[in-house]
Amino acid sequence: MQEFRVLMGHDTPGYASIGVYRDHGGYEALRKALHQMTPTEVTDEVYWSGLRGRGGAGFCTGMKWRFIDRSSPVPKYVVVNADEGEPGTFKDRFIMEHVPHRVIEGILIACHAVGAAKAYIYLRGELALCRERLLTAIEEARRAGLLGASVLGSDFDVDIALHRGAGAYICGEETALLDSLEGRRAQPRLKPPFPAQAGLYGCPTVVNNIETLANVPLIVEHGAEWYRSVGAPNPAVDAAARTGGPPSGFGPDSPGTRVFSVSGKLNNPGVFEVPMGTPMSALFGLAGGLREGLELRAVIPGGSSAPMIGPEHFEIPLTFQTLADAGSMLGSGAVVFIDDQTCPVDLALNLVEFYEHESCGKCTPCREGGQWMRKVIQRIAHGQCREGDLELVRHVSDGIKGKCFCALGESIPAPVNSSLALFPEHWQYHIEHGSCPIGAKEYSHVG
Amino acid sequence: MLSDELRGEIRALLDQYEEPRSALMPAFWLAQQSDGHLAAEAISEIAEIVGVDPGYASGVASFYTMYHLRPVGRHVIQVCKTLSCRMAGAEDILEHLKAKLGINLGETTPDGAFSLCTSECLASCGTAPVMLVDDDLYENLTPERVDEILAQLGG
Ligand SMILES: Cc1cc2nc3c(=O)[nH]c(=O)nc-3n(C[C@H](O)[C@H](O)[C@H](O)COP(=O)(O)O)c2cc1C
Ligand code: FES
């Protein structure tokens, strides 16, 4: 039931090395892009494929590339977001470790498309094996003439450098990432201007996720129609193919596959690549279901910033639109199944602690709101609830929502509000009895 | 004092970037790798090479949790405490480590072998609970497995 595209070859021995990757047709897409296609044709192909960003926001990739003014005399940059840190997400790590050359090939094609001579991979500091694999892949590509001056005999010169992060979730936010890459404390920038207009060093910059870029060689090699042959594409886009009509890569358009990170108390958790639109229940099945004696209570469908949804959504096809309609989001593709032995108050506390710890401190609602929210939920979780604490949680949540500088702060209420909505009796029990109805242990490492 | 070799490596970093300030983070990494931690003097010397104010440089260093501004043990253990690891029993792993090492979070064992801290999601939620020891990831932890790992590392 898996459909390996991005992960194609991940189970072939030696696929992380350039020899085996090339034996299986690796870097032929780059050759095609350089010798048979203009940069505009490459960008158009990616646009018409409907590929959407896999980092979280799901923005149309080809559209993002089109925003780059290739005629501008200043340098252009491709910046690769490899800062994977959204709780529940581990697919980019898997991609970098297993198919690093597909990532490098995607970066090189992106550079060609937008006219960049330099790409930076911003890699999360903790991911040592990814660092090793990527550095090796870059060196191998350089020695094979795929990187450097006159790539594959063309007039395309390009270089890739790896920049190691040092522990800060906010660096995943693209403008904070750019500040970090410029040697600053990582705090998000005011938008507009967007990175496509003024990004790294004030120059036009494309920021893309690892999985997004790993899709690119496949699109260039096989074409947009092939790409759209699986998943949940919007048929109206296909009908109007390249002649106007609805935009590709927006709204109900979710073509291609998605690499999901699936975790929770499951028999077979892990990374699974399935067509977009696969029902959540099928993903649950691939992950072997919950371990014996456990019952499903809720699902976090797209990383910690995506509100939890109830088991009534168990059959939901996983697309950008369906999850938005269900009040959540596909986000980073991290699906966490929550069982009946997990305390939903503790879960909310755990994630609020995460956001509190990771707030960059730039804006008050996030910096102060996160801390305040954590303190109140800690009281409720630990049997020290005060009169009016539940109202206070709602009040603080309202004080955060819509008032933060970036999406980090905006995410704080997601786990709290969804936990409150799905498990009101559980919260009430904590408040009234000062203990957990399922006897979960009290833990907390802050305060 | 940074060694001449290290100074050379840091100067070479400047070529990687359009603006020299971008070399701060990689330079911090080099200094920390050679020294075990990132001392205030190292930050000042790096600031000078890169051409920024030392106060600015330490402001950057202190933003990022992986730079150790104070000396740490020979091995730094970071236990993931977030979502999926928490559900998989990360707290029991932490309690076990604290008891076994006789230290609390943020502390170093008296023999200087181990420092213990928590970490946020380490992008390994499918094999929870997990911890990092220095650069190495250990997955599917149990208290017994932790004991084996500590023994191997020569606690
Ligand atoms: C707090 C925060 C953390 C983020 N973390 C990541 C991340 O780890 N990896 C990632 O690719 N995108 C992350 N994003 C999304 C990026 O800002 C950006 O949308 C993405 O890198 C664009 O690439 P894409 O269009 O290919 O998805 C994060 C956003 C926010 C607000
Ligand atoms: S929650 Fe521990 S690795 Fe993701």
PDB file of all heavy atoms in Angstrom, chain A residues 4 103 115 140 199 209 252 305 318 393 407 430 432 446:
ATOM      1  N   PHE A   4       6.369   4.096  -3.211  1.00  0.00           N
ATOM      2  CA  PHE A   4       7.658   4.754  -3.033  1.00  0.00           C
ATOM      3  C   PHE A   4       8.025   5.618  -4.227  1.00  0.00           C
ATOM      4  O   PHE A   4       8.249   5.126  -5.326  1.00  0.00           O
ATOM      5  CB  PHE A   4       8.763   3.722  -2.791  1.00  0.00           C
ATOM      6  CG  PHE A   4       8.603   2.980  -1.497  1.00  0.00           C
ATOM      7  CD1 PHE A   4       8.671   1.600  -1.445  1.00  0.00           C
ATOM      8  CD2 PHE A   4       8.390   3.675  -0.307  1.00  0.00           C
ATOM      9  CE1 PHE A   4       8.521   0.920  -0.246  1.00  0.00           C
ATOM     10  CE2 PHE A   4       8.236   3.005   0.894  1.00  0.00           C
ATOM     11  CZ  PHE A   4       8.301   1.620   0.920  1.00  0.00           C
ATOM     12  N   VAL A 103      17.895  14.317  -2.614  1.00  0.00           N
ATOM     13  CA  VAL A 103      17.808  15.660  -2.039  1.00  0.00           C
ATOM     14  C   VAL A 103      18.775  16.603  -2.757  1.00  0.00           C
ATOM     15  O   VAL A 103      18.394  17.698  -3.190  1.00  0.00           O
ATOM     16  CB  VAL A 103      18.128  15.617  -0.522  1.00  0.00           C
ATOM     17  CG1 VAL A 103      18.198  17.027   0.050  1.00  0.00           C
ATOM     18  CG2 VAL A 103      17.103  14.771   0.224  1.00  0.00           C
ATOM     19  N   GLY A 115      17.925  30.363 -10.867  1.00  0.00           N
ATOM     20  CA  GLY A 115      19.124  31.130 -11.172  1.00  0.00           C
ATOM     21  C   GLY A 115      20.021  31.357  -9.978  1.00  0.00           C
ATOM     22  O   GLY A 115      20.678  32.400  -9.874  1.00  0.00           O
ATOM     23  N   GLU A 140      30.743  13.625  -3.042  1.00  0.00           N
ATOM     24  CA  GLU A 140      30.636  12.690  -4.170  1.00  0.00           C
ATOM     25  C   GLU A 140      30.141  13.407  -5.423  1.00  0.00           C
ATOM     26  O   GLU A 140      30.650  13.183  -6.530  1.00  0.00           O
ATOM     27  CB  GLU A 140      29.677  11.539  -3.826  1.00  0.00           C
ATOM     28  CG  GLU A 140      30.256  10.527  -2.837  1.00  0.00           C
ATOM     29  CD  GLU A 140      29.244   9.449  -2.453  1.00  0.00           C
ATOM     30  OE1 GLU A 140      28.023   9.680  -2.601  1.00  0.00           O
ATOM     31  OE2 GLU A 140      29.676   8.379  -1.998  1.00  0.00           O
ATOM     32  N   GLY A 199      15.451  37.857   0.894  1.00  0.00           N
ATOM     33  CA  GLY A 199      15.690  36.746   1.818  1.00  0.00           C
ATOM     34  C   GLY A 199      17.080  36.800   2.398  1.00  0.00           C
ATOM     35  O   GLY A 199      17.435  37.754   3.088  1.00  0.00           O
ATOM     36  N   ASN A 209      11.543  22.846   1.931  1.00  0.00           N
ATOM     37  CA  ASN A 209      11.731  21.703   2.819  1.00  0.00           C
ATOM     38  C   ASN A 209      12.451  20.548   2.086  1.00  0.00           C
ATOM     39  O   ASN A 209      12.421  20.458   0.856  1.00  0.00           O
ATOM     40  CB  ASN A 209      10.324  21.263   3.274  1.00  0.00           C
ATOM     41  CG  ASN A 209      10.306  19.924   3.952  1.00  0.00           C
ATOM     42  OD1 ASN A 209      10.033  18.898   3.337  1.00  0.00           O
ATOM     43  ND2 ASN A 209      10.622  19.923   5.221  1.00  0.00           N
ATOM     44  N   PRO A 252      -8.160  22.351  -3.002  1.00  0.00           N
ATOM     45  CA  PRO A 252      -8.372  20.902  -2.956  1.00  0.00           C
ATOM     46  C   PRO A 252      -7.314  20.106  -3.722  1.00  0.00           C
ATOM     47  O   PRO A 252      -7.412  18.893  -3.815  1.00  0.00           O
ATOM     48  CB  PRO A 252      -9.746  20.744  -3.610  1.00  0.00           C
ATOM     49  CG  PRO A 252      -9.910  21.941  -4.473  1.00  0.00           C
ATOM     50  CD  PRO A 252      -9.105  23.041  -3.870  1.00  0.00           C
ATOM     51  N   SER A 305       1.653  21.312  16.029  1.00  0.00           N
ATOM     52  CA  SER A 305       0.929  22.566  15.801  1.00  0.00           C
ATOM     53  C   SER A 305      -0.460  22.335  15.215  1.00  0.00           C
ATOM     54  O   SER A 305      -1.233  23.279  15.085  1.00  0.00           O
ATOM     55  CB  SER A 305       1.735  23.478  14.872  1.00  0.00           C
ATOM     56  OG  SER A 305       3.040  23.647  15.373  1.00  0.00           O
ATOM     57  N   LEU A 318      -6.280  11.821   3.808  1.00  0.00           N
ATOM     58  CA  LEU A 318      -5.274  12.786   4.221  1.00  0.00           C
ATOM     59  C   LEU A 318      -4.901  13.708   3.070  1.00  0.00           C
ATOM     60  O   LEU A 318      -4.118  13.340   2.196  1.00  0.00           O
ATOM     61  CB  LEU A 318      -4.049  12.042   4.767  1.00  0.00           C
ATOM     62  CG  LEU A 318      -4.323  11.242   6.051  1.00  0.00           C
ATOM     63  CD1 LEU A 318      -3.271  10.156   6.264  1.00  0.00           C
ATOM     64  CD2 LEU A 318      -4.411  12.152   7.259  1.00  0.00           C
ATOM     65  N   VAL A 393      -7.371  29.494  31.424  1.00  0.00           N
ATOM     66  CA  VAL A 393      -6.765  28.827  30.263  1.00  0.00           C
ATOM     67  C   VAL A 393      -7.376  29.390  28.985  1.00  0.00           C
ATOM     68  O   VAL A 393      -6.668  29.751  28.035  1.00  0.00           O
ATOM     69  CB  VAL A 393      -6.973  27.294  30.323  1.00  0.00           C
ATOM     70  CG1 VAL A 393      -6.593  26.648  28.992  1.00  0.00           C
ATOM     71  CG2 VAL A 393      -6.159  26.685  31.450  1.00  0.00           C
ATOM     72  N   ALA A 407       4.035  31.875  13.530  1.00  0.00           N
ATOM     73  CA  ALA A 407       3.192  30.702  13.740  1.00  0.00           C
ATOM     74  C   ALA A 407       3.603  29.874  14.951  1.00  0.00           C
ATOM     75  O   ALA A 407       2.828  29.032  15.396  1.00  0.00           O
ATOM     76  CB  ALA A 407       3.193  29.835  12.482  1.00  0.00           C
ATOM     77  N   HIS A 430      -9.833  16.303  36.642  1.00  0.00           N
ATOM     78  CA  HIS A 430      -8.596  16.842  37.227  1.00  0.00           C
ATOM     79  C   HIS A 430      -8.907  18.007  38.153  1.00  0.00           C
ATOM     80  O   HIS A 430      -8.342  18.127  39.242  1.00  0.00           O
ATOM     81  CB  HIS A 430      -7.654  17.332  36.117  1.00  0.00           C
ATOM     82  CG  HIS A 430      -6.722  16.287  35.611  1.00  0.00           C
ATOM     83  ND1 HIS A 430      -5.449  16.125  36.106  1.00  0.00           N
ATOM     84  CD2 HIS A 430      -6.869  15.332  34.668  1.00  0.00           C
ATOM     85  CE1 HIS A 430      -4.855  15.127  35.467  1.00  0.00           C
ATOM     86  NE2 HIS A 430      -5.692  14.626  34.589  1.00  0.00           N
ATOM     87  N   GLU A 432     -11.802  18.809  39.624  1.00  0.00           N
ATOM     88  CA  GLU A 432     -12.611  18.489  40.807  1.00  0.00           C
ATOM     89  C   GLU A 432     -11.906  17.581  41.797  1.00  0.00           C
ATOM     90  O   GLU A 432     -12.040  17.727  43.000  1.00  0.00           O
ATOM     91  CB  GLU A 432     -13.934  17.840  40.374  1.00  0.00           C
ATOM     92  CG  GLU A 432     -14.933  18.874  39.889  1.00  0.00           C
ATOM     93  CD  GLU A 432     -16.114  18.224  39.188  1.00  0.00           C
ATOM     94  OE1 GLU A 432     -16.332  17.006  39.381  1.00  0.00           O
ATOM     95  OE2 GLU A 432     -16.804  18.940  38.419  1.00  0.00           O
ATOM     96  N   VAL A 446       9.594  21.839  34.035  1.00  0.00           N
ATOM     97  CA  VAL A 446       9.774  23.288  34.039  1.00  0.00           C
ATOM     98  C   VAL A 446       9.227  23.848  35.335  1.00  0.00           C
ATOM     99  O   VAL A 446       8.372  23.256  35.972  1.00  0.00           O
ATOM    100  CB  VAL A 446       9.011  23.958  32.874  1.00  0.00           C
ATOM    101  CG1 VAL A 446       9.701  25.240  32.456  1.00  0.00           C
ATOM    102  CG2 VAL A 446       8.876  23.020  31.717  1.00  0.00           C
TER     103      VAL A 446
END
